[in-house]
Amino acid sequence: MKLTQAEYQQRRDHLAAEMGANSIAIIATSPEVMRNNDADYKFRADSSFYYLTGFAEPEAVAVIETSADGEDYTYSLFCRERNREMEIWTGYRAGIDGAVDDYDADEAYAIDLLDEEIIEKLLGKEKLFYRMGAKPEFDTRVNTWLKKTEQMHQRKGVTVPARVIQLNRILDEMRLFKSEAEIEMMQIASDISAKAHTRAMQTVHPGMMEYALEAELNYIFGQNGCVPSYNSIVGGGENGCILHYVENNKVLKDGDLVLIDAACEYDCYASDITRTFPINGKFSPEQKALYNVILDAQIAAIDVVRVGQSYKEPHNVAVKIMVQGLLDLGIMQGNLDEIIESERYRQFYMHGTGHWLGLDVHDVGDYKIDEEWRNYEVGMVVTVEPGLYIAPDDENVESRWRGIGIRIEDDVLVTEHGPRVLTKNVVKTVAEIEELMANSQAQNLIKN
Ligand code: GLY
Ligand code: MN
Ligand code: MN
């Protein structure tokens, strides 16, 4: 499935309307990044550029110019020209004709002409919308253009942009609210990611390497034409306590849990899932007790992802349940309110409970308005990901709890009927996980 060109056009219409008359917006895609000599990282378009254009090739810049009365606008796409020889080396290019015919550009130019043509486009405009600070090399070019046009203004009196406005003020707010079609894309990404986690539960066994389990996830992503939306975390035992553990190069041990934070993107729309489960298929009493505290917290936190609730409410709900759980299990001592007030719980829960999700895994959009947490509205997608991490060397905690790291993460869409969990297709209760794993272990025994 792909978004329609009409949807991209609606977004440009919306942006142009917000820009107002006599304005210009410049949006560049990401630069290509070298991994090591002659080997690039696989190219991934800039999310905001892709959001407006659907154009996935490198070396491209979109320009939106609104008319003097603000009633109309022109969309120009600067891109690589078709070139038979280069295409043999680096693949198909839409070229100038493709930019117009397939991507609905009003005007298309060779990317090599950008420095020349952009000056023409800047002349006569009053405002420039550009995301300054995100791409240092491109910022330098924009500054050069502004310097040049400013000189023309001083010498010849022509109108040039006197104001540069952060483009993300408009675009990020647009991206925060997902359309029906975007939700479908995110549902597909979530379903594939859920399948990958299910396969991980079905294939894990003591003695397996963390990277081999990561390969099981990648198999499902790859079979569906997807790539991970961020570096996969596959942490066995105490590695689950390292929040951004990505080495994934240790042995998975009998009796330990494994924490997997991994998901894919589908046509650039991300999913973000964490599951934690026993490597041998059966939770120990301590693992189960702690797991259920986090699961209760997560389910309660998801339930407050509702229109009108504060962005922060899932965090508040999750913290309260987890602190009470830590007190009940004897892992913490003291008074519930005092622990929350002083944030002493951060010894075991040191990250937030979620973030916006969309074209970026940590998606754009303001979390606060006028310094207050904003409220949930229909069409927002947020992750809900509480966890507890008992450091392996924490001598203030009984040894039986040490080295247990658990997080449970789902992706939640705000609807007018309440929270919709996009990632519900991968099990998360102790009973469901143990049953799934027992069934697959039995199947593996039959096969062997
Ligand atoms: N996978 C990144 C995160 O959960 O924020
Ligand atoms: Mn997340
Ligand atoms: Mn995650």
Side-chain angles (χ1 to χ4, degrees):
M1 191 200 151
K2 279 253 176 203
L3 295 182
T4 61
Q5 280 305 317
E7 176 132 2
Y8 292 110
Q9 189 186 330
Q10 279 165 17
R11 295 168 179 178
R12 295 189 294 268
D13 292 351
H14 186 153
L15 171 61
E18 296 264 347
M19 285 163 60
N22 240 10
S23 300
I24 178 167
I26 302 174
I27 311 102
T29 198
S30 298
E32 287 184 282
V33 184
M34 193 174 274
R35 181 171 180 273
N36 58 331
N37 199 22
D38 276 354
D40 287 341
Y41 282 104
K42 192 174 164 74
F43 178 73
R44 160 61 154 81
D46 173 87
S47 296
S48 285
F49 173 84
Y50 194 69
Y51 178 79
L52 288 173
T53 62
F55 194 74
E57 291 181 29
E59 296 187 78
V61 174
V63 178
I64 307 271
E65 296 167 79
T66 58
S67 59
D69 60 5
E71 293 293 310
D72 202 3
Y73 72 94
T74 305
Y75 160 44
S76 304
L77 188 55
F78 289 80
C79 61
R80 301 176 306 184
E81 286 181 285
R82 296 211 65 178
N83 177 319
R84 188 172 152 72
E85 194 183 340
M86 285 307 292
E87 286 182 52
I88 289 169
W89 285 89
T90 58
Y92 176 77
R93 299 172 171 195
I96 310 301
D97 291 343
V100 172
D101 297 342
D102 303 333
Y103 294 90
D104 285 355
D106 300 313
E107 298 174 4
Y109 303 85
I111 187 72
D112 298 339
L113 298 179
L114 180 63
D115 287 324
E116 224 171 279
E117 294 290 338
I118 202 76
I119 299 295
E120 291 300 314
K121 293 185 179 298
L122 285 162
L123 295 180
K125 303 295 190 312
E126 287 164 6
K127 289 181 280 183
L128 166 63
F129 289 82
Y130 174 70
R131 169 80 200 267
M132 195 59 87
K135 299 187 179 76
E137 282 183 24
F138 203 81
D139 289 355
T140 307
R141 282 175 83 181
V142 173
N143 279 325
T144 308
W145 301 333
L146 286 174
K147 206 166 147 190
K148 208 164 177 176
T149 53
E150 194 54 25
Q151 279 173 354
M152 294 167 89
H153 170 71
Q154 285 171 3
R155 292 188 193 148
K156 298 185 185 158
V158 287
T159 303
V160 297
R163 289 172 60 203
V164 181
I165 300 166
Q166 282 292 60
L167 176 62
N168 48 310
R169 291 286 149 76
I170 303 175
L171 270 186
D172 293 3
E173 195 64 15
M174 288 169 62
R175 282 176 51 189
L176 180 56
F177 295 90
K178 275 68 182 179
S179 70
E180 286 296 319
E182 288 184 289
I183 291 161
E184 266 188 67
M185 306 295 267
M186 294 184 73
Q187 186 63 68
I188 295 171
S190 294
D191 287 346
I192 297 166
S193 303
K195 235 183 228 167
H197 277 263
T198 304
R199 184 179 173 96
M201 289 178 192
Q202 289 169 326
T203 51
V204 69
H205 54 82
M208 191 179 199
M209 297 302 288
E210 291 167 342
Y211 53 68
L213 190 53
E214 183 182 359
E216 299 291 342
L217 300 154
N218 286 337
Y219 178 78
I220 299 291
F221 299 158
Q223 285 291 325
N224 288 280
C226 293
V227 293
S229 39
Y230 51 91
N231 289 331
S232 301
I233 297 170
V234 181
E238 60 188 56
N239 297 334
C241 297
I242 303 169
L243 297 181
H244 291 158
Y245 177 77
V246 289
E247 286 90 349
N248 303 350
N249 59 2
K250 305 288 188 312
V251 180
L252 295 164
K253 297 194 199 109
D254 198 358
D256 279 351
L257 297 173
V258 59
L259 183 155
I260 299 184
D261 185 344
C264 66
E265 58 180 33
Y266 181 80
D267 200 17
C268 295
Y269 281 93
S271 177
D272 186 5
I273 302 182
T274 308
R275 288 292 184 268
T276 311
F277 49 93
I279 290 162
N280 64 14
K282 199 99 187 110
F283 285 85
S284 74
E286 285 78 16
Q287 291 165 350
K288 183 171 171 172
L290 206 56
Y291 187 92
N292 279 330
V293 167
I294 298 156
L295 184 61
D296 286 349
Q298 203 236 11
I299 290 169
I302 289 173
D303 194 55
V304 294
V305 179
R306 290 176 185 274
V307 174
Q309 285 280 7
S310 152
Y311 167 79
K312 206 66 181 165
E313 192 56 12
H315 182 72
N316 298 338
V317 164
V319 164
K320 195 163 179 185
I321 292 173
M322 290 198 294
V323 172
Q324 187 60 56
L326 290 168
L327 288 169
D328 295 344
L329 296 175
I331 296 172
M332 287 197 93
Q333 286 79 36
N335 169 276
L336 177 76
D337 294 332
E338 179 278 318
I339 294 171
I340 294 173
E341 183 73 22
S342 64
E343 298 194 349
R344 254 203 308 131
Y345 63 82
R346 290 184 64 85
Q347 178 185 354
F348 305 111
Y349 184 42
M350 55 298 274
H351 60 77
T353 301
H355 50 82
W356 304 133
L357 184 73
L359 285 167
D360 290 312
V361 66
H362 287 183
D363 208 25
V364 294
D366 290 342
Y367 289 93
K368 287 188 166 184
I369 294 178
D370 296 333
E371 297 183 27
E372 296 284 337
W373 295 110
R374 73 192 298 165
N375 289 342
Y376 290 109
E377 296 174 55
V378 171
M380 293 172 163
V381 180
V382 68
T383 66
V384 180
E385 50 180 304
L388 289 170
Y389 314 90
I390 319 287
D393 58 356
D394 190 338
E395 297 197 344
N396 297 320
V397 176
E398 271 180 84
S399 59
R400 65 196 176 109
W401 300 108
R402 290 183 211 156
I404 301 180
I406 298 170
R407 176 164 67 255
I408 308 169
E409 175 174 27
D410 282 304
D411 305 340
V412 182
L413 166 71
V414 185
T415 80
E416 56 195 8
H417 311 295
R420 177 175 138 194
V421 181
L422 300 177
T423 44
K424 66 176 185 331
N425 284 346
V426 51
V427 295
K428 65 178 172 182
T429 68
V430 165
E432 288 166 341
I433 291 173
E434 288 188 345
E435 191 191 347
L436 175 78
M437 295 184 73
N439 286 341
S440 54
Q441 282 168 350
Q443 298 245 319
N444 287 341
L445 280 179
I446 294 165
K447 258 192 266 163
N448 294 333

